Amino acid sequence: PTSASTHAFFRNMTAFTDGLRGLISVGIPQIDDEHQKLFECLDVLMLTVNTPRSDAATAEILCSLRTYSKTHFESEEGLMQACGFPGIAAHKREHLAFIDEIEKFQAQATGKQANTAQQMTAYLIQWLTSHISNSDKKLARHLRTSAQVKGSD
């Protein structure tokens, strides 16, 4: 059984991710749409982790989050290569670190380790919002500048 405070935490976090979506838009529709899907995965994860018999469902959602994250990161990295983004190596390292963390959480979800659902979801949300607010916004600025330069030829 879960406590009322735990349920309140996850209700508040889901409302928090809803509010974040507009605030962290990078202004590139393709990237923003993909970020929306990542937040939807996180919302499902938050609603699932504290339900009875949530271990299998949590592991499945983490698998989906990992798979979609890889797809999104490949998409972003393709855009970086196409526009000659100078920060591509560091950005790719951030992507790899996120996938590594998801894989650690997957192992914990299936291995009954002591990491709490709150710690896991808080980390994933914090990482994603920080990455979008900093690294992805830099990429978006470069993409817009690159498109303007190409368009003026």
Side-chain angles (χ1 to χ4, degrees):
T2 57
S3 69
S5 64
T6 301
H7 286 297
F9 170 83
F10 284 103
R11 269 195 314 280
N12 290 338
M13 289 303 287
T14 301
F16 177 69
T17 62
D18 287 342
L20 279 175
R21 291 177 183 141
L23 293 175
I24 59 175
S25 169
V26 299
I28 307 289
Q30 175 186 344
I31 295 173
D32 286 337
D33 290 348
E34 291 174 3
H35 288 162
Q36 173 73 22
K37 290 177 185 163
L38 290 170
F39 277 109
E40 288 169 5
C41 283
L42 289 175
D43 284 347
V44 171
L45 179 64
M46 284 188 289
L47 294 170
T48 303
V49 290
N50 276 327
T51 59
R53 291 183 247 182
S54 67
D55 294 342
T58 299
E60 184 178 327
I61 294 164
L62 285 169
C63 183
S64 295
L65 177 62
R66 179 180 171 271
T67 299
Y68 189 75
S69 294
K70 283 183 163 190
T71 299
H72 166 62
F73 293 158
E74 288 171 7
S75 173
E76 270 189 4
E77 291 165 10
L79 290 171
M80 288 183 229
Q81 287 179 329
C83 74
F85 181 61
I88 190 170
H91 206 119
K92 284 175 120 175
R93 282 192 299 275
E94 290 179 28
H95 290 168
L96 289 172
F98 186 67
I99 296 299
D100 286 347
E101 287 300 316
I102 292 172
E103 289 172 351
K104 288 177 190 173
F105 289 131
Q106 284 178 291
Q108 291 170 352
T110 58
K112 302 283 187 197
Q113 294 184 16
N115 196 48
T116 68
Q118 286 112 334
Q119 290 170 326
M120 176 178 60
T121 55
Y123 172 83
L124 293 171
I125 291 167
Q126 185 279 327
W127 186 95
L128 187 59
T129 55
S130 176
H131 177 77
I132 293 169
S133 297
N134 297 299
S135 301
D136 285 352
K137 285 194 176 188
K138 287 178 189 172
L139 170 59
R141 281 191 297 274
H142 184 81
L143 286 166
R144 282 191 292 277
T145 302
S146 170
Q148 288 173 356
V149 170
K150 288 178 186 173
S152 64
D153 289 345

